[in-house]
Amino acid sequence: MFKCGVVQSALLLLALVCPAAAQFAHTDHKKIVDSSGKPLLIQATNLGNWLVPEGYMWMLKDGPQSPSEIRALLLELLGPEASAAFWQKYRERYVAAEDIAFLHRAGFNAVRVPVHYALFESDTADGFKLLDQVIGWCRAERLYVILDLHAAPGGQTGANIDDSAGYPWLYQSPQEQEHLTAIWRRLATHYRDEPVVLGYDLLNEPIPTFPRLAPLNASLEPLYKRLAVEIRKLDVHHILFFGGAQWDTNFAVFGAPFDSNAAYTFHKYWMVPDESVISAYLDFRERYDVPIWMGESGENTDEWIAQFVKVLEKNNIGWAFWPYKKMEKSSAVVSILPPADSAQIVEFAKLPRGTAHAEERLKSRPDSETVSRAFAELLENVPLQKCRVNPGYLKALGMKSDVAKVASAN
């Protein structure tokens, strides 16, 4: 009778736990699997430049690069009211239901969404409203979502991509580490019951290759462990993605895995696209019996991308290529047409910044009509219907290259 009671108790526990757990994709030894346990090869694009703008995708060569620098440029040119209105419309239009439906039709099964911590400073922050919309559209189109903390408090790189002060203070500042932990607690609380969310990419490309920052490598895994402990108090379902040091390339900073539902992610750009460049990650997967995932690559020719996709998929490695949209260039799923007056904005943006250069900047400042027209046209051009599809890029990824830009039926 005792044995029967134990079995009944165990079955009851399984009945309580499994229905919820079964809804979520998770890791299984070396594989990421869906809720039914079927292997899941992630084939995703990155929604870069949406919530974390980057200067090169605005064609601002030799000008502002970080989100704060770009916002400062728009504030200078448009003023406080008009620049605030611009950003609201930009975020609403850059990623819409039509974009997610288009990606589904093209053959993608996931999107990686780079986010900025400043959009998630409260439970009712704008970032949640924007993400919730995207997640709803992805649910309708059966796409997974990977949340990527691209810009972390204090800065995980000290470069433009994390919108920091120019140094990665995150690793040495208790205040910023607590701030980071609070952001992930808030995100985990909000999305813990959402099966469309595949997992959490805790820090994008931590610690650059700059020699003077190498001593920070020893701080990375302890920080991941701290975040994992806090997230697991709230969310036991979602996969945690741990990126290596030196722009997500260096797995030597990791010891044995410390979370039972985790994957390790690497990024690879501008190298020979053959198996030699992923051999260290394959060895890591074999040694520790954990999944690996390629969270970013691209910014190259279609031929290069096609070759690298072949290498990754031959080795059962899922991927998310960068990016979905960017201005003019064809090394993206779709290209945004630059405004007719963009050259004047770009040239002005190259001038030295700061109040010491105020007079010089005023002399070269485009007139207000040109400025207003350029940014209004940019807002008109960012929706999918105005963008140019790049069939060569889609074909290189193994997606459908003849997919049409039609509105979503959902």
Side-chain angles (χ1 to χ4, degrees):
M1 185 174 292
F2 175 77
K3 186 180 293 185
C4 182
V6 170
V7 171
Q8 288 177 336
S9 298
L11 289 174
L12 177 60
L13 182 61
L14 285 172
L16 292 172
V17 173
C18 288
Q23 297 177 32
F24 293 84
H26 54 280
T27 64
D28 181 6
H29 297 280
K30 298 179 183 67
K31 301 187 294 294
I32 293 173
V33 299
D34 65 16
S35 58
S36 67
K38 181 181 177 182
L40 174 62
L41 185 72
I42 302 169
Q43 296 173 311
T45 187
N46 282 274
L47 302 185
N49 204 40
W50 176 40
L51 301 180
V52 188
E54 295 190 49
Y56 86 97
M57 284 194 276
W58 287 53
M59 297 176 63
L60 294 174
K61 185 179 180 181
D62 302 322
Q65 295 301 305
S66 74
S68 291
E69 291 169 348
I70 297 169
R71 285 196 302 271
L73 174 66
L74 268 65
L75 177 62
E76 179 182 6
L77 287 172
L78 291 171
E81 292 85 3
S83 62
F86 171 89
W87 287 116
Q88 181 179 349
K89 291 177 182 177
Y90 176 87
R91 290 167 182 159
E92 290 171 354
R93 297 181 182 186
Y94 202 91
V95 178
E98 290 78 14
D99 295 280
I100 302 303
F102 171 79
L103 291 172
H104 170 71
R105 292 195 306 276
F108 293 96
N109 61 15
V111 293
R112 179 174 179 258
V113 185
V115 301
H116 194 301
Y117 77 91
L119 294 172
F120 301 92
E121 294 284 28
S122 74
D123 295 337
T124 58
D126 286 346
F128 285 114
K129 298 171 188 175
L130 293 163
L131 266 187
D132 288 350
Q133 265 195 325
V134 166
I135 288 169
W137 298 327
C138 286
R139 187 185 304 113
E141 299 293 342
R142 299 183 299 283
L143 267 65
Y144 287 105
V145 176
I146 299 99
L147 302 185
D148 152 44
L149 191 59
H150 222 71
Q156 75 273 16
T157 75
N160 66 293
I161 58 173
D162 62 24
D163 206 19
S164 70
Y167 183 85
W169 281 110
L170 175 62
Y171 308 101
Q172 295 167 294
S173 169
Q175 171 184 298
E176 297 296 10
Q177 289 185 15
E178 178 51 38
H179 192 175
L180 170 67
T181 304
I183 294 294
W184 272 118
R185 280 196 296 253
R186 197 169 292 123
L187 287 164
T189 299
H190 194 90
Y191 294 112
R192 60 188 169 193
D193 297 320
E194 179 52 75
V196 171
V197 173
L198 181 75
Y200 308 139
D201 194 343
L202 299 186
L203 285 176
N204 177 69
E205 297 189 348
I207 311 174
T209 52
F210 313 149
R212 290 194 63 178
L213 297 180
L216 298 178
N217 282 3
S219 302
L220 182 57
E221 190 173 55
L223 182 56
Y224 280 145
K225 289 180 178 179
R226 173 179 175 178
L227 291 174
V229 167
E230 292 302 314
I231 290 171
R232 289 307 184 212
K233 291 176 182 177
L234 303 163
D235 181 348
V236 298
H237 298 311
H238 287 103
I239 299 169
L240 302 184
F241 291 95
F242 303 124
Q246 283 67 64
W247 310 117
D248 269 6
T249 64
N250 178 10
F251 279 18
V253 298
F254 295 127
F258 52 88
D259 187 273
S260 61
N261 192 23
Y264 289 77
T265 179
F266 65 92
H267 295 181
K268 278 292 179 183
Y269 288 97
W270 310 303
M271 75 297 165
V272 177
D274 61 26
E275 198 161 304
S276 67
V277 301
I278 62 169
S279 61
Y281 312 122
L282 296 174
D283 291 345
F284 186 92
R285 180 171 68 182
E286 290 301 313
R287 183 183 315 122
Y288 290 121
D289 194 32
V290 291
I292 57 175
W293 179 56
M294 201 285 298
E296 277 188 34
S297 185
E299 299 293 9
N300 215 307
T301 65
D302 294 342
E303 293 76 17
W304 185 97
I305 289 170
Q307 189 173 342
F308 195 35
V309 168
K310 185 177 180 180
V311 169
L312 293 168
E313 295 192 351
K314 176 185 174 183
N315 289 280
N316 297 311
I317 299 173
W319 45 261
F321 274 76
W322 184 277
Y324 169 47
K325 282 181 180 177
K326 68 177 177 181
M327 196 176 294
E328 191 177 56
K329 306 296 183 182
S330 62
S331 50
V333 178
V334 300
S335 301
I336 300 165
L337 302 178
D341 297 304
S342 62
Q344 293 187 55
I345 306 298
V346 170
E347 287 305 308
F348 177 74
K350 293 178 182 179
L351 296 175
R353 291 199 58 80
T355 53
H357 303 283
E359 185 176 8
E360 176 187 353
R361 293 179 70 83
L362 282 169
K363 290 176 182 177
S364 302
R365 179 187 178 93
D367 64 76
S368 58
E369 291 80 8
T370 298
V371 169
S372 297
R373 185 170 57 246
F375 286 104
E377 188 176 347
L378 176 56
L379 289 176
E380 291 176 6
N381 289 353
V382 294
L384 176 63
Q385 293 301 316
K386 290 290 189 76
C387 292
R388 183 186 70 237
V389 176
N390 295 311
Y393 185 91
L394 284 166
K395 185 177 180 180
L397 293 175
M399 300 291 108
K400 298 173 184 176
S401 58
D402 59 348
V403 62
K405 294 187 295 183
V406 295
S408 172
N410 296 292

